[in-house]
RNA sequence: GCGGGCGUAGCUCAGGGGUAGAGCAUCACCUUGCCAAGGUGAGGGUCGUGAGUUCGAAUCUCAUCGCCCGCUCCA
């Protein structure tokens, strides 16, 4: 484990040193768990997006892509369940260091009082036997009445406080009830704090409740609200999918572990609309497809595993994670969920608009079921980076830092370099670079010794280095050096585009 | 929020009361010429911030801020 943590540290500093990922706002001491992608990170990230987009959208006739807004109508999040389900008042016990949901603590207290009533009822039953009228007893017994009044008053105070978002009121209620921590037994509480999953902001220039809107906590809803738009304008026939890449925001209580869990992150999602009753078939189909997609990258098959969820979210009837062996251990990389017709039905209800599909084969209308695939782009980035980063021990006892990125994902595909900074070699190198730069991202480097330059390219994952030497001037050939084998071949300049182009193309991944 | 760790040059760190150092990196020149770390020179730091103690604080005290790790939450 120690080894693994150190490994993550090395990756973080390597990422910073070479311009992949910087801590955000670093000159102001940074902002917790927020990161910026640098010049090479942006290239790598874009390449990952391309890999996903090409394989999901362009290679499936029945999947199209959209790009919806981050701001959405507030009702969207009521419909999706996000407003109600993720809005918890939390409180900490200072002695046990345990954190509780404040409303749950109060509920438990109420439950205790309810038990007292039940005890009294049980006593009555024992004493009077079959003649005992439970309802009448509850309505008249002073003990029961007193306890019931207590419950009513607590529930009333709690409801009022929660509805008014009066956190102090919730705190006072806990204190007044004398609730103690089950672990430490003390009543030494922190204040009650609200943890909202969603970030909110004000739309328009006048602040007020009416203009409060949220930053989307998932991109999926942008797809659901456009279901009909896309289906009709694209004349889509079920089964079909809508894909999207975009940012989402979640106010995680702890956002940690580099770019693995951030409050601002990017998702690559596809919602696949299917006939009711066929969802499990497609769920299995996409589980397999998505796993194959990951494995095609060649980061190591043993680094992936499938984890089926036992506890399901409120909208799902089946769910699985594709987990990756990150430096911190196996963690979720992609989720595949059978979301049923929950979302479309909810939107249909709240919007009052029919969100249905007329199936000409069945000759009937229905709300489609949905199978979702959702990859964390930043997690994908980390999986690629962490599994590619190596400190190799070479035969001569020296070490080299190398990023063995999949060729298609590498920020630069080729580095062009003159062996010497004179004799017309730099000019010739520029010529070669001009030949290649329209087809692939190139970098030019003439500083330092050849070996040093090779190492620099290894460290940023550039698959190929083309060296222009004196022989080049005579016969138009160059050496091309491979990042992984460190072997060189001499080839003619004319062949370069084909030779390199073939190897760095996405096609090799799709086959 | 709690607990722990850490803030000195771009990076890795040394220095623990007398006014800031090394290696690497950067830049220039020389040398070499296909797998990093040859030579010479140069630039670069109000030692996280603020207060206190002291003749004097990077160094001691207190506070504060930030980052990292762990715990609580997680679609």
């Amino acid at each position: 484990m120690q080894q693994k943590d150190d490994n993550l540290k090395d990756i973080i500093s390597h990422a910073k040193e070479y311009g992949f990922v910087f801590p955000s706002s670093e000159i102001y001491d940074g902002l917790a768990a927020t990161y910026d992608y640098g010049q090479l990170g942006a290239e790598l990230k874009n390449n990952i997006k391309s890999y996903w987009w090409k394989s999901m959208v362009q290679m499936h006739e029945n999947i199209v892509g959209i790009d919806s807004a981050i701001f959405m109508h507030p009702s969207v999040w009521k419909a999706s369940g996000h407003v109600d389900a993720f809005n918890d008042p939390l409180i900490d016990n200072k002695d046990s260091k345990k954190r509780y949901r404040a409303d749950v603590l109060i509920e438990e207290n109420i439950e205790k009082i309810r038990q007292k009533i039940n005890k009294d009822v049980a006593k009555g039953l024992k004493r009077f036997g079959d003649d005992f009228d439970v309802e009448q007893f509850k309505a008249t017994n002073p003990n029961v009445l007193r306890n019931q009044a207590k419950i009513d008053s607590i529930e009333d105070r709690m409801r009022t406080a929660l509805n008014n978002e009066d956190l102090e009121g919730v705190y006072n209620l806990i204190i007044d009830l004398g609730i103690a921590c089950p672990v430490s037994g003390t009543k030494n509480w922190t204040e009650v704090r609200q943890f909202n999953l969603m970030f909110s902001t004000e739309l328009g220039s006048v602040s007020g409740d009416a203009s409060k809107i949220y930053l989307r906590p998932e991109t999926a809803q942008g797809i659901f609200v456009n279901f009909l738009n896309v289906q009709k304008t694209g004349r889509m026939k079920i089964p079909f999918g809508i894909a999207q890449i975009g940012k989402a925001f979640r106010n995680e209580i702890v956002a940690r572990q580099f770019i693995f869990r951030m409050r601002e992150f990017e998702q690559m999602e596809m919602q696949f609309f299917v006939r009711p009753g066929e969802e499990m078939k497609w769920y299995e189909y996409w589980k397999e497809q998505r796993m194959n997609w990951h494995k095609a990258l060649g980061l190591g098959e043993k680094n992936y595993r499938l984890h089926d969820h036992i506890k399901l979210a409120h909208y799902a009837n089946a769910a699985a994670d594709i987990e990756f062996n990150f430096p911190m251990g196996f963690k979720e990389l992609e989720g595949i969920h059978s979301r049923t017709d929950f979302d479309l039905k909810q939107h249909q209800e709240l919007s009052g608009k029919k969100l249905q599909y007329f199936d000409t084969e069945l000759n009937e209308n229905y709300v489609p079921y949905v199978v979702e695939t959702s990859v964390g782009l930043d997690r994908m980035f980390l999986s690629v980076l962490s599994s590619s980063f190596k400190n190799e021990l070479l035969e001569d006892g020296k070490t080299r830092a190398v990023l063995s990125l999949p060729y298609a994902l590498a920020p630069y595909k080729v580095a062009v370099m003159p062996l010497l900074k004179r004799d017309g070699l730099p000019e010739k190198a520029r010529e070669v670079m001009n030949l290649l730069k329209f087809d692939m991202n190139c970098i030019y480097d003439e500083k330092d010794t050849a070996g040093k330059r090779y190492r620099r390219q290894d460290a940023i994952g550039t698959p190929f280095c083309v060296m222009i030497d004196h022989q080049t001037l005579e016969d138009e050939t160059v050496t091309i050096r491979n990042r992984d084998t460190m072997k060189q071949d001499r080839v003619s300049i004319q062949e370069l585009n084909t030779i390199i182009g073939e190897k760095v193309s996405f096609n090799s991944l799709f086959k």
Side-chain angles (χ1 to χ4, degrees):
Chain A
M1 198 60 208
Q2 189 58 45
Q3 182 76 36
K4 290 222 152 192
D5 288 347
D6 289 350
N7 192 13
L8 182 60
K9 267 189 184 159
D10 288 346
I11 289 161
I12 293 170
S13 57
H14 191 86
K16 187 185 163 192
E17 185 176 354
Y18 290 95
F20 284 90
V21 181
F22 303 123
S24 174
S25 314
E26 201 187 4
I27 60 169
Y28 293 105
D29 291 324
L31 183 64
T34 313
Y35 293 90
D36 298 335
Y37 287 86
Q39 65 278 16
L40 297 186
E43 294 285 349
L44 175 53
K45 199 176 173 193
N46 278 336
N47 291 340
I48 294 172
K49 286 189 202 177
S50 291
Y51 175 44
W52 187 84
W53 192 267
K54 279 176 199 288
S55 59
M56 294 300 277
V57 177
Q58 293 173 5
M59 296 177 60
H60 288 93
E61 281 180 36
N62 60 345
I63 298 180
V64 292
I66 65 167
D67 186 0
S68 71
I70 288 171
F71 293 156
M72 300 186 77
H73 193 283
S75 295
V76 168
W77 308 113
K78 276 214 159 52
S80 69
H82 286 80
V83 172
D84 296 327
F86 301 98
N87 211 351
D88 305 332
L90 300 179
I91 189 167
D92 291 355
N93 183 273
K94 290 179 184 169
D95 300 309
S96 66
K97 318 290 182 208
K98 290 287 167 200
R99 169 166 295 168
Y100 302 91
R101 278 180 54 174
D103 55 328
V104 171
L105 282 179
I106 297 169
E107 297 275 8
E108 282 170 356
N109 188 271
I110 292 172
E111 190 52 35
K112 268 185 199 159
I113 301 172
R114 213 166 261 141
Q115 294 299 330
K116 278 186 191 165
I117 294 179
N118 288 343
K119 230 180 227 169
D120 283 335
V121 171
K123 264 190 215 159
L125 259 174
K126 208 172 171 189
R127 196 182 309 163
F128 300 108
D130 292 342
D131 295 339
F132 186 65
D133 184 337
V134 174
E135 289 313 311
Q136 194 194 337
F137 179 76
K138 276 186 176 174
T140 53
N141 181 284
N143 257 344
V144 172
L145 284 177
R146 206 178 53 244
N147 280 326
Q148 189 57 48
K150 241 193 221 169
I151 291 176
D152 291 344
S153 132
I154 294 169
E155 280 185 337
D156 193 51
R157 277 182 68 182
M158 181 167 85
R159 201 174 310 118
T160 311
L162 288 178
N163 286 343
N164 296 334
E165 292 185 20
D166 172 15
L167 299 178
E168 210 182 325
V170 177
Y171 174 81
N172 289 337
L173 185 51
I174 287 175
I175 298 301
D176 291 349
L177 292 174
I179 295 176
C181 168
V183 175
S184 67
T186 69
K187 300 166 188 173
N188 189 9
W189 298 105
T190 63
E191 60 189 295
V192 176
R193 294 174 311 275
Q194 187 87 32
F195 279 98
N196 294 319
L197 172 98
M198 293 191 288
F199 289 99
S200 63
T201 186
E202 305 289 333
L203 189 67
S205 51
V206 183
S207 64
D209 231 24
S211 57
K212 180 176 178 181
I213 59 165
Y214 297 102
L215 304 184
R216 66 181 176 199
E218 62 175 18
T219 54
Q221 299 304 327
I223 292 176
F224 294 132
V225 299
N226 279 300
F227 164 71
L228 268 194
N229 283 339
V230 173
Q231 191 272 318
K232 290 203 161 141
T233 58
R235 297 179 296 120
M236 308 303 290
K237 296 241 180 323
I238 272 182
F240 74 93
I242 304 178
Q244 167 158 238
I245 299 175
K247 293 234 174 173
F249 305 82
R250 291 181 196 176
N251 198 4
E252 303 281 355
I253 295 170
V254 280
R256 288 265 171 85
Q257 284 164 327
F258 196 37
I259 54 174
F260 182 81
R261 176 166 296 139
M262 297 189 289
R263 297 193 173 91
E264 173 181 344
F265 61 103
E266 202 154 0
Q267 296 183 303
M268 303 190 289
E269 288 199 327
M270 192 275 296
Q271 308 295 331
F272 200 69
F273 300 92
V274 304
R275 265 183 204 164
E278 292 190 353
E279 69 269 19
M280 290 319 287
K281 181 180 97 187
W282 288 108
Y283 170 70
E284 294 300 331
Y285 170 84
W286 281 112
K287 272 208 300 200
E288 195 190 335
Q289 285 285 310
R290 296 304 305 149
M291 187 60 109
N292 291 341
W293 181 88
H294 284 287
K295 287 181 174 171
L297 274 180
L299 301 180
E301 303 225 340
K302 63 180 186 316
N303 281 328
Y304 297 92
R305 72 182 186 197
L306 203 66
H307 173 247
D308 287 304
H309 282 212
I310 298 162
K311 208 180 110 196
L312 298 172
H314 59 275
Y315 53 71
N317 67 357
D321 293 339
I322 293 174
E323 296 184 333
F324 186 80
N325 189 12
F326 287 99
M328 317 79 73
F330 273 96
K331 302 263 184 177
E332 179 183 352
L333 171 64
E334 168 158 3
I336 293 116
H337 295 214
S338 175
R339 289 183 81 130
T340 68
D341 57 356
F342 176 85
D343 297 278
L344 288 179
K345 253 195 180 145
Q346 284 288 110
H347 285 305
Q348 184 168 270
E349 201 166 297
L350 257 90
S351 68
K353 307 279 189 323
K354 232 182 176 188
L355 296 180
Q356 301 188 357
Y357 173 81
F358 182 73
D359 193 319
T360 49
E361 274 178 47
L362 301 177
N363 199 30
E364 67 179 65
N365 259 316
Y366 54 77
V367 177
Y369 271 51
V370 173
V371 175
E372 164 189 276
T373 72
S374 173
V375 203
L377 175 52
D378 309 275
R379 290 179 178 187
M380 186 80 197
F381 185 100
L382 182 59
S383 76
V384 171
L385 194 69
S386 66
S387 60
S388 298
F389 179 62
K390 289 166 197 125
N391 264 310
E392 281 184 354
L393 185 63
L394 301 177
E395 285 172 12
D396 57 6
K398 292 176 178 168
T399 60
R400 74 161 184 157
V402 57
L403 274 187
S404 55
L405 299 172
Y407 292 169
L409 299 186
Y412 294 116
K413 307 305 184 207
V414 56
V416 180
M417 36 184 81
L419 184 60
L420 303 180
K421 221 193 299 185
R422 53 163 200 266
D423 302 342
L425 297 183
E427 291 77 3
K428 190 68 192 171
R430 290 287 183 190
E431 248 178 62
V432 173
M433 176 119 167
N434 285 337
L435 229 72
L436 299 175
K437 73 180 180 192
F438 299 101
D439 295 310
M440 57 193 81
N441 202 16
C442 305
I443 183 171
Y444 178 83
D445 193 1
E446 61 178 24
K447 195 167 154 44
D448 297 311
T449 62
K452 217 166 178 176
R453 284 180 273 168
Y454 285 144
R455 293 303 170 82
R456 246 193 321 257
Q457 294 309 319
D458 290 341
I460 62 173
T462 308
F464 299 104
C465 292
V466 167
M467 185 66 84
I468 282 76
D469 56 15
H470 290 95
Q471 193 182 331
T472 311
L473 301 178
E474 292 162 18
D475 64 4
E476 293 283 310
T477 62
V478 294
T479 62
I480 175 167
R481 178 258 194 191
N482 179 284
R483 175 194 71 200
D484 302 317
T485 62
M486 296 197 286
K487 293 268 157 43
Q488 287 172 261
D489 291 317
R490 188 164 277 279
V491 302
S492 84
I493 292 174
Q494 273 68 39
E495 296 174 293
L496 277 178
N497 237 325
T498 321
I499 294 175
I500 301 174
E502 214 165 73
K503 293 198 165 124
V504 302
S505 148
F506 279 108
N507 293 350
S508 54
L509 297 178
F510 296 141
K511 280 164 191 165

